[in-house]
Amino acid sequence: GHFIQMILRNSITTAACEQWTLPTNTAAPPTLSSRGYIENSQSTIFFTAKSQYHNVTDDPAHKIWLTTLRVFAGLLHSTANVGFHGRGASIRESTAALAIDFLHFYEIPITSFIERCLVQTPKIKDASNLSTPSSGLGFTVATMNELGDTMALISELCSGGHRKQFECSSPRLYGIVSNAALAICRSLSSFLGALGTARE
């Protein structure tokens, strides 16, 4: 329909996703820590000879991307239990079909983002990284928000009345995103467990 076409043909999100998923052998590959931010290299404040703080602002394209993920998750949540017969079933199936089409269209940006989150390792912050709100694992406030919104969308589509439709209509994609979600949960559980152990 017009709604899904308007989202899929949004030049802002498609261009941003292409930029975020550039191959790592390009001249200037994007980093996970810079995702969601725009750096203004013209405004650099030097505090010491060995450190510099770059001025960064939120990326409007990333905000639009997060809002899109939340809209689909909200639609799925609101139609999960509208009924299994008649008009209710039709609404639920149409909503799930829209979300599945969205996942198909943005499969590479979404799955590559999850893969990059899974390979993050603890690292020491350096001068080039100090300005970005980071967790110390290569994550930022922006990427943690994106990870949460992505997981919420996958969770809604892989549970309740939507799960069977997703599994039947697109078994390959269902397997990919459900396994990715499980991997993220295991990774976060291990990380939180390690934090708890370190505090004891």
Side-chain angles (χ1 to χ4, degrees):
H2 295 297
F3 174 73
I4 190 65
Q5 290 302 319
M6 180 180 66
I7 293 177
L8 298 185
R9 294 178 181 176
N10 187 319
S11 58
I12 296 175
T13 53
T14 53
C17 286
E18 288 176 3
Q19 178 65 29
W20 296 331
T21 54
L22 283 174
T24 55
N25 59 355
T26 56
T31 61
L32 190 60
S33 61
S34 65
R35 187 180 181 120
Y37 300 96
I38 298 176
E39 182 176 353
N40 182 6
S41 58
Q42 301 297 323
S43 177
T44 305
I45 305 173
F46 290 88
F47 288 93
T48 68
K50 295 183 178 179
S51 68
Q52 60 181 13
Y53 290 70
H54 296 287
N55 180 34
V56 294
T57 58
D58 292 337
D59 183 357
H62 193 255
K63 295 275 190 184
I64 294 173
W65 173 245
L66 296 187
T67 300
T68 304
L69 294 174
R70 292 166 188 167
V71 165
F72 276 103
L75 286 172
L76 290 168
H77 183 75
S78 64
T79 58
N81 299 302
V82 294
F84 294 90
H85 303 285
R87 188 170 182 272
S90 177
I91 293 174
R92 188 183 66 256
E93 291 170 2
S94 297
T95 303
L98 288 176
I100 293 169
D101 286 344
F102 172 78
L103 279 183
H104 272 294
F105 190 84
Y106 288 105
E107 177 183 346
I108 294 177
I110 290 174
T111 55
S112 65
F113 169 68
I114 293 175
E115 289 171 0
R116 294 175 71 184
C117 289
L118 289 173
V119 299
Q120 295 302 296
T121 54
K123 57 188 179 182
I124 300 174
K125 295 182 182 180
D126 57 26
S128 64
N129 225 359
L130 288 173
S131 64
T132 308
S134 175
S135 65
L137 285 170
F139 291 114
T140 63
V141 173
T143 51
M144 288 297 288
N145 284 336
E146 182 176 355
L147 184 59
D149 292 334
T150 302
M151 292 289 287
L153 173 58
I154 293 174
S155 175
E156 291 293 344
L157 200 50
C158 293
S159 62
H162 300 304
R163 183 191 63 80
K164 186 175 181 181
Q165 180 179 347
F166 186 21
E167 187 176 11
C168 292
S169 64
S170 187
R172 181 192 62 82
L173 188 58
Y174 172 82
I176 290 173
V177 297
S178 57
N179 288 333
L182 289 173
I184 285 289
C185 289
R186 286 194 294 266
S187 179
L188 290 177
S189 296
S190 298
F191 173 62
L192 293 175
L195 281 180
T197 303
R199 290 190 175 192
E200 292 178 356

